Structures are given as structure tokens and as C-alpha cells.
């Protein structure tokens, strides 16, 4: 009986400890998540000036990301996380906007129509 009580206490304290660890690693308050980077680190990875707009930051990101295409996935990951942090904390971007996949080009209506026509021709 003592053993089962000790086991229950250990499980309870383990869950409690995990909860506190997760709370400390959120991105709110300028901290960093398990995959994110702090605001200070983001500014070192993707330097921006106080005058830069969101579009200028995204253009810098796009250039740096493209330079590392097929070179360093690690650097691309760091750039992406820096863009997320800067986008949300400096430029007020939404989570969805800041986390948009840079490899996916926005499609135009013409491209969608062409693909639809090709699909109908194959059928």
C-alpha cells in the first residue's frame, strides 16, 4: 500500500514538473519555445533595422533562405524560426502568417486553371 501511494505521488509530481517546464518554454514574453528562437537571437540571425518594414524583413528572409537552398537545412531552419519570432513579436504578424512555408509559392488563378485543364485532358 505504501508503494502504490509513493508511485501515485511520483506520477503526480512528474506531471506537475512537466507542466512547469512547458510553461517556461513558451514564446510569450520574449522567451523561446522548444523550436523557436529568442528575440535577441532572431535579430542576430536576421538583422533588421528599426526602420525596416515587415515587407523588408520578409525580403531579407527570402534572400537568405534562397541562398541556403540545397546548402544548409540547419541555417534555413534558423532563418525560418527567426522570421517567425520577428514577425510575431516585432511586426505583429499572426501565427499563420509568420509560420507560412516559404517553399510554397502562392498560386495564381491562371496556374490553377491551367492545372485544371491539364487534369481534364488526361481524363
Amino acid at each position: 500500500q505504501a508503494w502504490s501511494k509513493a508511485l501515485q505521488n511520483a506520477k503526480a509530481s512528474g506531471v506537475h514538473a512537466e507542466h512547469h517546464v512547458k510553461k517556461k518554454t513558451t514564446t510569450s514574453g520574449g522567451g523561446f519555445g522548444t523550436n523557436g528562437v529568442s528575440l535577441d537571437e532572431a535579430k542576430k540571425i536576421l538583422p533588421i533595422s528599426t526602420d525596416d518594414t515587415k515587407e523588408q524583413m520578409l525580403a531579407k528572409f527570402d534572400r537568405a533562405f534562397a541562398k541556403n537552398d540545397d546548402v544548409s537545412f540547419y541555417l534555413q531552419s534558423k532563418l525560418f524560426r527567426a522570421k517567425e519570432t520577428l514577425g510575431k513579436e516585432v511586426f505583429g504578424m499572426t501565427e499563420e502568417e509568420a509560420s507560412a512555408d516559404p517553399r510554397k509559392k502562392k498560386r495564381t488563378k491562371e496556374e490553377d486553371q491551367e492545372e485544371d485543364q491539364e487534369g481534364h485532358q488526361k481524363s
Side-chain angles (χ1 to χ4, degrees):
Q1 190 175 3
W3 175 254
S4 65
K5 184 68 176 167
L7 185 57
Q8 285 177 334
N9 289 340
K11 286 181 181 178
S13 65
V15 171
H16 186 69
E18 283 180 21
H19 176 72
H20 284 289
V21 168
K22 287 180 184 176
K23 272 184 117 174
K24 289 181 183 178
T25 59
T26 61
T27 56
S28 63
F32 56 91
T34 54
N35 292 325
V37 297
S38 70
L39 184 57
D40 288 338
E41 186 179 3
K43 288 179 178 179
K44 291 176 185 173
I45 295 168
L46 195 59
I48 58 169
S49 70
T50 54
D51 298 333
D52 279 350
T53 64
K54 175 177 78 170
E55 289 74 21
Q56 289 170 319
M57 182 272 294
L58 291 173
K60 286 180 182 182
F61 165 77
D62 288 337
R63 283 191 301 274
F65 194 87
K67 268 186 179 178
N68 286 288
D69 197 24
D70 295 328
V71 176
S72 176
F73 180 73
Y74 173 78
L75 288 177
Q76 283 185 317
S77 298
K78 284 294 198 178
L79 286 163
F80 182 78
R81 296 301 177 195
K83 176 196 69 131
E84 279 184 322
T85 299
L86 291 171
K88 289 186 280 190
E89 295 188 26
V90 176
F91 297 102
M93 294 167 69
T94 64
E95 178 76 30
E96 184 178 336
E97 187 181 13
S99 301
D101 188 343
R103 298 168 296 171
K104 292 185 179 175
K105 181 182 140 202
K106 290 186 179 179
R107 298 177 56 84
T108 63
K109 287 183 181 179
E110 291 82 21
E111 288 173 326
D112 288 337
Q113 289 172 349
E114 287 175 13
E115 189 173 289
D116 287 343
Q117 288 175 351
E118 289 173 8
H120 290 299
Q121 289 174 357
K122 290 180 182 178
S123 304

